[in-house]
Amino acid sequence: MTDTIAKEGRPFGFWTATAMVIGGMIGAGIFVLPAQLAPYGATGAAGWVAAIAGAVVIAWVFSRLFAVRPEATGAMEVVAGGLGPLPAMLVAWSYWVSLWCANAVLALTASRYLAEFWPWLGSSTLVSAFAALAMLWALTLFNLLGARDVGRLQVVTVLLKLMPLVVVVLILAGLAFTDPGRFATNAHAPFDPVQITPALGLAFFALLGFECAGVCAERVRDPGRIIPLATMAGVVVTGALYLLVSTGIVYAMPGQALADSGAPIALFVGEFLGSKAGLLAAAFAMISALGCLNGYVLLVGEVPLGMARSGLLPRWMARTSSRDVPVAVMLIASALASVLILSNAFRTLSGLMTFMLNITAAATIWLYLGACASAWVQRVARPWAALGFAFSIWVMIGTGWEAAAWSVVLMLSAVPLYWLRGRAAAAA
């Protein structure tokens, strides 16, 4: 009986944990970033290289923290081990905010891609919002079934979402052998050091999520060994794929046409394989967004659960169902994401998306800053921790001062909960 409980409580092995990392990183970002980075030209490619290098450094810091603290229940506990409970709680709360903000963005993105096949879904912002709500709540209900089923779906969606990216790689490889001049035909902006910071901010957004295996440490078997392996494998594989796909598309297509496209990968595939193939790529983009949304819905429950079990939040947030699912906090997070989605019905989609992308990135960076600071205090991989901290500050600047300021405000909103947790503990 004990073995069964242990197996149910920690259902994730190496492949599932790696799928969580890759699934958390490959969301909607890579399917829109070639268009956003097209105006940057060579600077965009440099931004990808810098973003991947920084992600590897921070991922290594996380890996070393879990290696020295394999008993930790999640990324927030390893931060608390070096900085104490209050800073860890603030960092964790900021990360939680970023997750449900990302869920709103992912659901809206999936809705937009679905409208490529059923245009009436995009006939108005209200219809688009309700389609996004339907997707969000369908996956929320699915997550209530338990982590094992979520993990299985994550493996499947990772395999499916990789397919259009593999097609892009094959097309690029074919061009490299049969028409290498294609990559020099179109004029692109030269490298501009002034533009590297905003380009880095855009590129790094697509890499967010490499901490997924660490956040779900309670679900991973042998976390001290599997989490570092899964995290590094996920970052290296996904980063190399992103660099090749995004930069290859930018240099193979006219810059202005790419920048004006809302679905750059579908545009690229359609250019070389026909319109039907382009629509198929759009379908896989929707699958990618939904697969990422599935993983993030799991995380919005796991983050407060780990914090509550560590004593950083009130005890009621640690209550779970018979399937060990934190139902209350998961429903609260999806409700907050729903508020953001419904706000889309009263403003332009582009305005909402731009702001939420910046907020999501800025709020997530606080987790990376906390992890690097914790590693430094605990004398774990100190040179890497210092480098990761400096890099995180650089990315924060790239997201813009408005997003950074809002991330601070939202992070501090957790202070009353921490205070209530302290009063409850004192009363007990």
Side-chain angles (χ1 to χ4, degrees):
M1 181 67 175
T2 302
D3 291 341
T4 301
I5 294 173
K7 186 176 180 181
E8 287 297 324
R10 293 184 180 271
F12 296 169
F14 170 76
W15 292 110
T16 302
T18 303
M20 287 296 296
V21 175
I22 297 175
M25 294 175 71
I26 300 180
I30 189 57
F31 292 97
V32 296
L33 275 177
Q36 292 177 271
L37 289 172
Y40 292 91
T43 310
W48 275 115
V49 173
I52 294 167
V56 169
V57 169
I58 298 172
W60 178 249
V61 172
F62 268 111
S63 298
R64 299 321 305 155
L65 283 171
F66 276 103
V68 299
R69 294 177 62 89
E71 76 287 352
T73 58
M76 315 315 156
E77 190 169 324
V78 298
V79 173
L83 303 183
L86 180 56
M89 185 274 299
L90 292 175
V91 167
W93 188 263
S94 182
Y95 180 70
W96 184 68
V97 169
S98 76
L99 291 177
W100 55 259
C101 288
N103 284 351
V105 173
L106 288 165
L108 286 167
T109 300
S111 174
R112 291 178 67 187
Y113 275 105
L114 189 61
E116 293 291 315
F117 300 89
W118 290 287
W120 64 271
L121 289 176
S123 60
S124 71
T125 53
L126 184 61
V127 172
S128 178
F130 277 109
L133 284 176
M135 296 178 188
L136 171 65
W137 283 99
L139 286 176
T140 299
L141 294 176
F142 179 76
N143 270 260
L144 297 182
L145 296 176
R148 177 176 296 277
D149 294 314
V150 173
R152 288 170 178 165
L153 178 60
Q154 197 67 14
V155 173
V156 174
T157 56
V158 166
L159 294 175
L160 291 175
K161 73 173 68 177
L162 286 174
M163 291 179 67
L165 301 183
V166 171
V167 171
V168 171
V169 170
L170 292 176
I171 294 174
L172 291 172
L175 288 175
F177 282 104
T178 63
D179 187 17
R182 174 81 186 207
F183 298 103
T185 300
N186 303 296
H188 293 89
F191 176 75
D192 182 359
V194 176
Q195 295 297 316
I196 187 66
T197 297
L200 169 67
L202 285 172
F204 195 74
F205 171 81
L207 298 176
L208 299 179
F210 58 80
E211 70 287 338
C212 287
V215 173
C216 293
E218 280 192 294
R219 309 297 185 182
V220 179
R221 293 190 296 272
D222 192 8
R225 181 180 66 88
I226 288 179
I227 289 177
L229 291 174
T231 300
M232 297 306 296
V235 170
V236 172
V237 170
T238 307
L241 181 63
Y242 277 6
L243 176 62
L244 177 61
V245 168
S246 180
T247 305
I249 290 177
V250 168
Y251 275 88
M253 298 288 290
Q256 191 59 51
L258 195 60
D260 293 339
S261 174
I265 286 185
L267 176 68
F268 175 78
V269 173
E271 174 73 16
F272 293 97
L273 298 183
S275 58
K276 290 184 179 179
L279 284 176
L280 187 60
F284 281 112
M286 183 189 69
I287 293 172
S288 176
L290 290 176
C292 191
L293 179 60
N294 172 61
Y296 274 36
V297 169
L298 171 66
L299 290 182
V300 293
E302 294 296 311
V303 172
L305 176 62
M307 294 167 66
R309 286 178 173 174
S310 300
L312 298 176
L313 286 176
R315 293 178 182 175
W316 67 266
M317 289 188 169
R319 295 172 186 165
T320 59
S321 67
S322 59
R323 293 177 179 266
D324 198 27
V325 176
V327 175
V329 292
M330 192 175 288
L331 294 178
I332 290 172
S334 290
L336 291 170
S338 297
V339 172
L340 290 180
I341 292 172
L342 287 174
S343 70
N344 175 55
F346 306 103
R347 59 187 298 178
T348 64
L349 179 61
S350 60
L352 174 65
M353 292 287 280
T354 299
F355 181 70
M356 295 315 303
L357 288 174
N358 288 332
I359 285 289
T360 301
T364 307
I365 292 299
W366 287 106
L367 172 62
Y368 304 152
L369 288 169
C372 292
S374 179
W376 178 270
V377 171
Q378 298 180 74
R379 299 181 180 276
V380 175
R382 268 191 158 188
W384 297 101
L387 186 59
F389 190 91
F391 174 81
S392 298
I393 293 294
W394 186 19
V395 176
M396 183 72 79
I397 294 173
T399 64
W401 294 111
E402 181 184 9
W406 271 106
S407 72
V408 173
V409 172
L410 291 170
M411 180 171 58
L412 293 178
S413 69
V415 172
L417 280 175
Y418 185 80
W419 177 71
L420 289 174
R421 156 260 185 198
R423 290 193 61 183

